[in-house]
Amino acid sequence: MTTAQRHTAALAALADIVGPAHVLTDPDLVAGYETDWTGRWHGHAAAVVRPGSTSEVAAVLAACTRHRLPVVPQGGNTGLVGGSVPMDGELVLSLRRLSEVTEVDPVARTLAAGAGVTVAQAQRAARDHGLDFGIDLASRDTATLGGIVSTNAGGVRMIRYGNTRAQVLGVEAVLADGRVLTRWKQLTKDNVGYDLPGLLTGAEGTLAVLTKVLMKLVIPGDATQVALVGIDRVDDALTLLGAASRTGLVLEAAELMTAAGVDLVARHTATGRPFTHAAPFYLLVEVSGPGDIESRLLGVLDDAGSLVLDATIASGPADKLWRYREAHTEAVAASSRTPVVKLDLSTPHRSIGRFIDDLTAGLSDRFPQLRVICFGHVADGNVHVNLLDVPAASQERVTEFVFDLVTRYDGSISAEHGIGRAKARWIELSRSPVDIDVMRDIRTALDPAGLLNPHVLF
Ligand code: MLT
Ligand code: ZN
């Protein structure tokens, strides 16, 4: 049988499983699944299949294994490393129809949901019970639970509740051969064997396809206060955060922005700039805690003296202040003449300031034609390096320059976005040969034919 005949037979089998209406082949319908949000990563899909239940996902994967058709699992397609778009004729397996929150248990503080439930949907369900979902990120209305678990997403609340892996209690997932793996216990303590939910978290769809997740919920902090503070140096942000923590304030979020980023957002959203005089850097910090947190936060800013160039504070959720941070992604995308090269990095805390200074100076020296906008989760040592106006011919050289620098700082080439297609060729900068061998062995053990998301990670 030729490849084309195999694909035709596979698509007929898939239509039998999910119904012809859920196997999309019309180029107009498929197009949105073939390109990522940034417009930088795209490819061609054999078709898009949209199963509506775990048993359909299992039958789809068994059929793909029989017909040797590679599969790219896809949730909200909001990832930033090209990890959920096909490259060359794979089947896109969309999990969006698994969109039901099946249970919120307010006593165990857990949420059970299909992989296609969005983060915003999970947040609403949790809040209906006086609880909250521990992950929050700007793409909350589209990003799905299957996607954030598959990529071990971080987001703006990581400083408070940890990353997605810390919230995963159980999973239901389908292996490449169609077997359904269920690790689903509402137990706080359960120490039997390997941590398979932890392993599937962050596996970027290479080990199994998640169909349901059992997530921990959190008790939200009481009222919060948000401050936007103009500062001279990145290290000043760390000094302020240390001082706030020492007074007993609980850090809910701590985000760094630059003058160039805030300026871009102000223009893009047609809002005013936050202060009369621009500061080189901005710290957006949200705090909670017992007592009068407003006066304690003001006390921290006061005690910091000339380190604070300017500041404004507001009661949470303080959407207007958060908008300066949350609109960064769309503002950089709208203002760049080329798809933005997005590099999500981390460094040890003590060196994040020096790293950003070196990076900015090095880039303007070597690549004067591009613009750089850095922002990110400063308390996690995580900086999102966004490179605008990068001609296609220099993308690789620029990426290599940035990755070399972060490696010299003993940092990571991926803090929270994952590896996907974007960073696969550089994975050895952050993992040793033996580490990579073990990861490859695990992948082969679970998916011997290499059908699941074949172009990501390695
Ligand atoms: C964020 O923190 O806003 C996200 O990681 C998205 C981005 O890097 O653009
Ligand atoms: Zn982020």
Side-chain angles (χ1 to χ4, degrees):
M1 228 195 242
T2 65
T3 308
Q5 284 167 332
R6 242 187 17 247
H7 279 194
T8 311
L11 296 192
L14 298 178
D16 283 346
I17 296 163
V18 298
H22 294 298
V23 180
L24 313 180
T25 49
D26 177 339
D28 286 344
L29 298 178
V30 171
Y33 297 84
E34 291 179 322
T35 301
D36 80 330
W37 186 89
T38 66
R40 188 170 174 216
W41 304 104
H42 34 81
H44 160 66
V48 176
V49 63
R50 295 165 32 90
S53 66
T54 301
S55 55
E56 286 186 2
V57 174
V60 164
L61 286 177
C64 290
T65 291
R66 267 197 317 280
H67 295 281
R68 280 176 285 144
L69 178 59
V71 174
V72 174
Q74 192 181 96
N77 201 12
T78 58
L80 296 169
V81 288
S84 64
V85 287
M87 243 175 123
D88 190 18
E90 302 93 323
L91 177 77
V92 171
L93 172 53
S94 169
L95 284 311
R96 284 188 227 171
R97 285 181 66 217
L98 307 183
S99 58
E100 201 190 338
V101 175
T102 43
E103 191 188 18
V104 174
D105 182 335
V107 178
R109 294 203 291 272
T110 56
L111 172 138
V117 164
T118 64
V119 170
Q121 225 183 314
Q123 289 171 338
R124 281 194 298 273
R127 287 169 193 165
D128 284 348
H129 290 80
L131 296 167
D132 210 344
F133 188 65
I135 301 294
D136 193 22
L137 64 188
S139 55
R140 60 184 74 82
D141 290 313
T142 321
T144 60
L145 301 192
I148 65 160
V149 173
S150 289
T151 54
N152 186 28
V156 293
R157 301 288 164 190
M158 179 158 166
I159 183 179
R160 175 79 163 103
Y161 302 116
N163 58 14
T164 303
R165 188 175 282 116
Q167 324 293 329
V168 175
L169 201 56
V171 294
E172 178 193 78
V174 183
L175 301 174
D177 60 11
R179 283 178 298 159
V180 179
L181 165 73
T182 307
R183 178 78 75 85
W184 195 275
K185 299 250 189 216
Q186 266 184 338
L187 299 172
T188 306
K189 291 184 152 184
D190 180 19
N191 213 1
V192 182
Y194 298 142
D195 177 10
L196 297 183
L199 181 63
L200 297 192
T201 306
E204 303 193 28
T206 59
L207 302 180
V209 175
L210 294 166
T211 46
K212 284 186 193 157
V213 289
L214 181 63
M215 307 293 292
K216 293 180 195 166
L217 296 177
V218 299
I219 301 175
D222 292 333
T224 62
Q225 287 288 320
V226 179
L228 181 66
V229 189
I231 48 177
D232 249 330
R233 304 170 324 131
V234 176
D235 285 351
D236 296 343
L238 300 179
T239 306
L240 282 171
L241 295 173
S245 298
R246 277 194 300 279
T247 67
L249 287 167
V250 177
L251 298 178
E252 297 279 336
E255 298 290 315
L256 181 81
M257 297 170 280
T258 63
V262 168
D263 198 52
L264 198 65
V265 167
R267 275 185 281 130
H268 176 70
T269 57
T271 42
R273 284 154 184 76
F275 306 129
T276 321
H277 299 290
F281 295 97
Y282 295 83
L283 170 69
L284 181 78
V285 57
E286 181 157 0
V287 296
S288 65
D292 182 354
I293 50 172
E294 183 181 354
S295 42
R296 279 157 72 205
L297 182 57
L298 285 170
V300 169
L301 298 176
D302 231 27
D303 291 349
S306 60
L307 185 145
V308 172
L309 303 181
D310 209 337
T312 177
I313 87 166
S315 300
D319 293 334
K320 262 173 80 179
L321 294 184
W322 265 104
R323 186 85 184 119
Y324 286 110
R325 167 60 179 86
E326 293 219 311
H328 263 68
T329 303
E330 61 191 56
V332 295
S335 123
S336 180
R337 288 192 293 273
T338 56
V340 179
V341 175
K342 297 182 81 72
L343 304 174
D344 154 52
L345 315 168
S346 63
T347 69
H349 284 91
R350 65 180 179 284
S351 34
I352 187 166
R354 270 187 302 124
F355 170 72
I356 293 175
D357 289 346
D358 270 7
L359 175 84
T360 318
L363 284 170
S364 84
D365 236 32
R366 286 172 182 73
F367 305 96
Q369 79 284 9
L370 64 74
R371 287 180 290 150
V372 53
I373 303 282
C374 291
F375 60 93
H377 318 291
V378 64
D380 306 332
N382 182 183
V383 51
H384 296 315
V385 178
N386 287 257
L387 304 169
L388 291 68
D389 304 336
V390 187
S394 7
Q395 283 178 5
E396 197 172 316
R397 269 189 316 124
V398 178
T399 303
E400 238 142 51
F401 169 76
V402 177
F403 283 176
D404 278 350
L405 188 67
V406 79
T407 305
R408 275 190 272 130
Y409 271 85
D410 219 6
S412 170
I413 63 164
S414 177
E416 62 170 10
H417 292 173
I419 292 296
R421 271 158 67 177
K423 300 178 179 177
R425 97 172 64 149
W426 290 286
I427 191 171
E428 76 282 356
L429 290 176
S430 288
R431 293 289 178 260
S432 72
V434 175
D435 197 325
I436 294 171
D437 279 351
V438 173
M439 288 198 276
R440 279 187 194 279
D441 289 348
I442 292 171
R443 185 177 192 165
T444 306
L446 269 72
D447 176 19
L451 292 179
L452 293 179
N453 227 2
H455 301 291
V456 311
L457 273 186
F458 309 114

